[in-house]
Amino acid sequence: MSHAIDPCSSPPARSSALVARSFLTALSSALGTLLQTAWRRRKNRRTVAGLLEMDDHILADIGVTRSDVETALSRRDFRDPSVQLALLRSEARMPRPRMRRR
């Protein structure tokens, strides 16, 4: 009688523990990324809000207007206001198509 070990018959407890450990690792990584993103957005919101304390001439030097800053901060969704401000700034720089005169 041979007592060979069948490699396909591993104990189920061991594989479920490995799956649980992998799941927990992925979950903690996702939570860490989520927290980092939330922290960065909060920090950027404070920085963008600080622009409102600046003079309009300084804001013009930066390339934004006071209303751009207020618009970026007025969005209540979870978007980063610094990204919104950058989008508004790039829209302002885009050349407008000229209308033909008749």
Side-chain angles (χ1 to χ4, degrees), residues 68-84:
D68 289 341
V69 176
E70 290 169 347
T71 300
L73 289 171
S74 70
R75 310 230 174 158
R76 291 294 172 197
D77 53 7
F78 294 104
R79 295 182 192 167
D80 189 337
S82 64
V83 172
Q84 297 302 312

Side-chain angles (χ1 to χ4, degrees), residues 36-95:
Q36 285 177 344
T37 302
W39 183 258
R40 184 176 57 250
R41 286 180 183 159
R42 181 180 166 101
K43 182 180 148 193
N44 290 346
R45 178 169 287 281
R46 282 185 294 207
T47 302
V48 170
L51 293 174
L52 290 174
E53 297 174 9
M54 295 183 177
D55 187 16
D56 287 337
H57 296 292
I58 295 173
L59 291 175
D61 286 344
I62 296 171
V64 296
T65 64
R66 188 167 300 280
S67 65
D68 289 341
V69 176
E70 290 169 347
T71 300
L73 289 171
S74 70
R75 310 230 174 158
R76 291 294 172 197
D77 53 7
F78 294 104
R79 295 182 192 167
D80 189 337
S82 64
V83 172
Q84 297 302 312
L85 188 59
L87 289 172
L88 290 169
R89 183 177 180 219
S90 66
E91 286 175 4
R93 289 184 168 199
M94 292 180 79

